[in-house]
Amino acid sequence: MAVPDATLERDAALFAPIARTGRGFYLTVAVLGLAILWGAIAYWTQFNEGLGVTGLQQPVSWGFYVTNFVFFIGISHAGTLISAILRLSRAEWRRPITRMAEVITVMVLFIGAGQILVDLGRPDRLFNVIRYGRYQSPLLWDATSISAYLTASMFYLYLPLIPDIAILRDRLGKRRFLYSVLAMGWTGSAHQQKILNRAIAIMAVLVIPIAVSVHTVVSFVFSMTIQPAWHSSIFGPYFVAGAIFSGIAALIVAMAIVRRIYHLQAYLKPIHFRYLGHLLLVMTLLWFYLTFAEYLTGYYGNEPEEMKVFWSKFTGPFWPTFWAMLALNFVVPMAFLVNLRNHAVGKTVVASVAVVLGMWLERFNIVVPTLSNPRLPFPVTHYWPTWVEWGETAGSFGLFILLYVLFVKFFPIISIWEIQEGREAGLKDVEERLRTYLPDDTTPEPAHGRARVTT
Amino acid sequence: MALWGMVIDLDRCTGCQACVMACKAENNVPAVGAKEAGLGRTISWMQVLVEESEERTRFLPRPCFQCDDPPCTKVCPVYATYRDPEGIVAQVYARCIGCRFCMAGCPYNAKYFNWRRYQQEAPGQNPDVSVRPKGVVEKCTFCHHRLQKARDRVRAERRELAPGDYVTACAEACPTRAITFGDLSDAGSDVAKLAKSPRAFRVGEELGTKPKVIYLSETEAHGRA
């Protein structure tokens, strides 16, 4: 066995969710199942009757589904990107949170990509994208980038999971076959450990540009058109920043829930929330800065078409979603995150819930108001989603949470071996590293050269 | 090679909607019903828009502008919409996946979606135009099937395509002859001459889409809105 039992006893809390299943779990699954059922009925209805059962129309031909697509793909930046950055910067406090983040990415990417399938008028012709794929279309860039990200993220989640699966294989006593297969003969030898560390490092480097590319090309779906308030060069970085922003918020919410339900207060300490809270505060400011730059340039340019969209958000029919977005994405996080000295967990969670909601509204405010303001004098009916879109959205959230909950039941949501590594190797490593930062205090070399001349 | 285009004289247009009805009959454009129309899902390849300002009301019949540099074809992921060599922007109903990216990209809202199955094949429809299934985008094609028929006819008569052989249904139906259709690349054609008129202007010209539907208006061309 790779790790002695005594050290494993110390981390017994990390096995608890897998070893024991309480009534709360089944209740959660039942509630999520209902949401998913609602979504399934909604999609079945839409599949049979066509997109006519939604609130979509002419000219608002994109609505909730495209909003959800951008939103969920944005949330996916929680994981892999944040985890990779923390790993590469050797932030020691990352250890209990990296896996939690990576799981969000993998699960939510399925949901995000699924939104496009739901949005298609002809899902039966999906494979035309491969058969007749037209690479000049930003939609193809999306398909490429997202599938690359999904593949890389799955590897990036799986690699650091291998030693933990081996621990489960040796210790848990149930699902032995599953864990034996997935552990791929891991013994924890120095050679294996070396290869694994290198593989993780390579994936961490690889995954960052892919993640950036994903939300850049998602933004290109809008900015490559010539529509007012879409055709903007800031959209790439704006979407990436917004994605990381909503991703961190989703991660904090997930951490708080897992911590509460599985009593992992010893592992997910206020300090982790405080550090992530600071990161969220930085992203709040960055998001506000980009939003400010985007709207101010639009306002000063004063192009008539641009201004129609601008005013429809500021004072027109979209004012509730626009101002709610500003409040949730800027005012609330600013108020709760500036001082995290005490009650860090509660404050960051409030700010994060606000940001998750606010970023959904932000995506909505990008997609719908532009389409609601056609250039030519068309009769415009206000877009309002039907039960089908609400159901699909509820089902999507439900499915995402269910996949997450199931992961927690099958695999350790906090990396056991990395926590142990932190205790054993990490402490020494940090001390040594810190020493290399400081000026050398070894015996000074005998003065020669210039020094001798001056004396 | 021909470059098909259209000139619409707004000073002649009375807003009678004859072009709209002729188009619907010619191209099997479905009537979506009152409920769907109320939701904003009317399909009308040729649509008479009403521009209202303080001084006056003006009718703007709007077919697809058949842009020479179309923003809709740029974004299609499957080559379902493309500009054909004679400048007509086509839509392949059998290939379209219904992502509606072209609708979001068109600055003139000239593309329409089949939100439901609006019609089945039935007697009384034009057999030259396919009936669209649910879930695909459709659009004005300058009555492209008429070009194919005209080609067949002139080939049988062993002659070249002459002006007047190929005319769209809307141009044919207009009682005030506000709509002129023809080959813009033929400098002698009516449509090419009218396109050079001092009254001529294009909608959204600043977008660089190069519409091949050109409007004539005394006021607009002289900078009075």
Side-chain angles (χ1 to χ4, degrees):
Chain A
M1 190 178 288
V3 200
D5 256 330
T7 48
L8 281 177
E9 283 314 315
R10 229 172 133 183
D11 291 321
L14 300 183
F15 293 97
I18 308 164
R20 280 187 307 276
T21 302
R23 209 180 325 147
F25 171 77
Y26 293 110
L27 200 68
T28 314
V29 171
V31 171
L32 295 173
L34 282 178
I36 295 166
L37 185 69
W38 186 20
I41 294 170
Y43 186 66
W44 182 244
T45 312
Q46 178 186 307
F47 189 84
N48 283 327
E49 294 183 36
L51 280 160
V53 294
T54 66
L56 296 169
Q57 23 93 342
Q58 182 101 1
V60 189
S61 49
W62 281 348
F64 261 39
Y65 299 153
V66 172
T67 304
N68 286 343
F69 164 67
V70 183
F71 172 77
F72 282 123
I73 300 288
I75 294 288
S76 80
H77 284 51
T80 307
L81 188 65
I82 294 166
S83 148
I85 291 170
L86 293 181
R87 241 187 248 278
L88 290 176
S89 61
R90 297 204 201 173
E92 281 295 326
W93 59 277
R94 73 172 190 270
R95 293 184 185 274
I97 62 178
T98 46
R99 177 151 318 143
M100 234 174 253
E102 292 152 15
V103 180
I104 292 183
T105 300
V106 172
M107 301 309 178
V108 90
L109 270 177
F110 283 109
I111 311 296
Q115 302 297 320
I116 288 297
L117 185 65
V118 171
D119 188 60
L120 287 188
R122 298 299 302 228
D124 54 318
R125 295 182 185 167
L126 178 69
F127 287 103
N128 281 6
V129 173
I130 294 162
R131 282 168 74 191
Y132 310 110
R134 187 175 166 278
Y135 244 92
Q136 297 92 316
S137 167
L139 225 65
L140 260 281
W141 310 344
D142 278 7
T144 310
S145 207
I146 290 169
S147 44
Y149 190 43
L150 185 57
T151 314
S153 295
M154 288 208 284
F155 275 109
Y156 188 63
L157 170 67
Y158 177 59
L159 288 172
L161 200 57
I162 294 173
D164 277 3
I165 296 174
I167 295 173
L168 293 177
R169 172 195 63 194
D170 300 339
R171 193 168 184 273
L172 198 64
K174 60 177 179 180
R175 304 189 201 116
R176 284 203 63 132
F177 180 71
L178 174 77
Y179 294 133
S180 310
V181 171
L182 288 177
M184 296 215 299
W186 177 265
T187 56
S189 67
H191 177 64
Q192 282 186 340
Q193 192 68 49
K194 197 177 147 202
I195 294 175
L196 183 76
N197 285 343
R198 180 165 300 170
I200 293 173
I202 291 172
M203 287 315 292
V205 173
L206 204 63
V207 101
I208 292 174
I210 299 178
V212 171
S213 84
V214 166
H215 233 248
T216 305
V217 297
V218 166
S219 87
F220 284 174
V221 167
F222 305 99
S223 61
M224 292 295 151
T225 67
I226 44 171
Q227 303 296 37
W230 281 4
H231 188 55
S232 160
S233 60
I234 207 176
F235 259 36
Y238 187 34
F239 272 49
V240 173
I244 299 170
F245 185 35
S246 62
I248 296 172
L251 174 59
I252 292 175
V253 174
M255 276 167 60
I257 294 172
V258 169
R259 174 183 196 258
R260 183 74 176 268
I261 291 176
Y262 294 112
H263 311 290
L264 296 174
Q265 282 87 346
Y267 294 87
L268 298 164
K269 295 168 152 182
I271 184 100
H272 296 108
F273 287 87
R274 199 180 307 147
Y275 281 1
L276 278 175
H278 289 325
L279 216 51
L280 191 65
L281 181 64
V282 171
M283 294 313 294
T284 305
L285 293 167
L286 183 60
W287 179 85
F288 183 77
Y289 163 71
L290 289 168
T291 306
F292 179 75
E294 170 72 2
Y295 283 95
L296 193 71
T297 20
Y299 178 73
Y300 259 68
N302 201 27
E303 287 176 278
E305 300 305 329
E306 191 89 12
M307 290 316 285
K308 274 203 306 201
V309 180
F310 182 93
W311 288 119
S312 82
K313 292 184 196 180
F314 273 72
T315 56
F318 294 101
W319 74 264
T321 46
F322 181 80
W323 292 105
M325 167 193 89
L326 270 187
L328 291 167
N329 273 356
F330 186 66
V331 181
V332 175
M334 280 304 279
F336 281 86
L337 295 176
V338 277
N339 181 359
L340 289 175
R341 239 164 296 160
N342 34 40
H343 308 296
V345 181
K347 283 178 182 171
T348 50
V349 167
V350 171
S352 299
V353 171
V355 168
V356 169
L357 294 173
M359 280 309 292
W360 191 90
L361 291 174
E362 196 243 41
R363 303 330 192 173
F364 180 84
N365 283 331
I366 287 171
V367 175
V368 175
T370 289
L371 291 172
S372 302
N373 287 282
R375 286 167 203 269
L376 297 178
F378 277 93
V380 176
T381 13
H382 197 68
Y383 166 69
W384 194 252
T386 63
W387 72 271
V388 174
E389 284 141 300
W390 287 112
E392 192 270 351
T393 306
S396 299
F397 275 96
L399 189 59
F400 164 56
I401 299 168
L402 181 69
L403 290 173
Y404 202 91
V405 166
L406 289 179
F407 185 92
V408 176
K409 276 288 141 209
F410 279 83
F411 303 102
I413 192 65
I414 290 179
S415 181
I416 299 168
W417 72 273
E418 281 178 281
I419 293 281
Q420 283 169 352
E421 188 194 56
R423 286 204 194 96
E424 290 155 15
L427 272 174
K428 260 181 283 163
D429 191 47
V430 170
E431 201 183 320
E432 261 165 46
R433 205 164 70 216
L434 190 56
R435 213 165 265 140
T436 63
Y437 300 156
L438 295 170
D440 294 331
D441 55 7
T442 46
T443 44
E445 303 233 332
H448 44 230
R450 203 176 47 163
R452 196 178 292 158
V453 176
T454 49
T455 45
Chain B
M1 198 168 287
L3 194 66
W4 303 106
M6 184 181 278
V7 170
I8 303 178
D9 192 336
L10 299 182
D11 298 334
R12 286 187 179 201
C13 177
T14 61
C16 73
Q17 312 257 358
C19 53
V20 175
M21 295 320 290
C23 170
K24 290 201 180 197
E26 177 71 23
N27 291 298
N28 301 331
V29 175
V32 297
K35 192 169 158 246
E36 291 286 289
L39 289 166
R41 292 176 182 161
T42 309
I43 300 180
S44 193
W45 293 5
M46 171 63 105
Q47 191 164 353
V48 178
L49 305 175
V50 185
E51 283 183 314
E52 280 180 281
S53 62
E54 279 175 19
E55 306 97 61
R56 54 165 191 151
T57 298
R58 184 172 77 180
F59 301 112
L60 189 85
R62 193 246 38 208
C64 169
F65 287 165
Q66 314 288 349
C67 304
D68 234 22
D69 199 348
C72 62
T73 62
K74 274 188 195 167
V75 294
C76 179
V78 295
Y79 289 101
T81 186
Y82 63 96
R83 179 196 178 282
D84 87 356
E86 302 200 343
I88 295 174
V89 178
Q91 186 84 28
V92 185
Y93 308 126
R95 181 180 286 185
C96 174
I97 59 170
C99 68
R100 309 189 297 294
F101 201 172
C102 57
M103 295 174 75
C106 174
Y108 312 111
N109 298 72
K111 303 206 125 184
Y112 294 87
F113 191 69
N114 286 275
W115 299 101
R116 294 172 184 273
R117 172 109 210 179
Y118 287 123
Q119 62 180 347
Q120 307 285 339
E121 289 195 28
Q125 287 165 337
N126 183 351
D128 297 332
V129 181
S130 57
V131 168
R132 277 75 64 186
K134 85 173 176 202
V136 302
V137 171
E138 59 178 77
K139 68 181 289 296
C140 158
T141 61
F142 268 174
C143 295
H144 187 258
H145 56 284
R146 288 191 170 203
L147 175 59
Q148 288 167 327
K149 283 189 111 173
R151 283 231 175 84
D152 288 347
R153 198 168 55 242
V154 299
R155 202 175 293 128
E157 292 169 10
R158 291 164 201 241
R159 60 179 177 89
E160 290 289 298
L161 203 65
D165 280 333
Y166 165 40
V167 179
T168 61
C170 54
E172 210 171 58
C174 182
T176 59
R177 292 186 209 160
I179 304 175
T180 314
F181 181 80
D183 181 1
L184 284 170
S185 67
D186 172 8
S189 69
D190 289 348
V191 75
K193 280 185 211 152
L194 285 171
K196 289 199 192 82
S197 151
R199 293 193 293 136
F201 74 99
R202 290 161 211 246
V203 170
E205 202 167 7
E206 71 281 2
L207 299 173
T209 52
K210 304 186 191 117
K212 287 196 292 289
V213 172
I214 297 130
Y215 290 98
L216 302 180
S217 162
E218 199 68 60
T219 46
E220 178 95 16
H222 293 286
R224 296 191 296 272

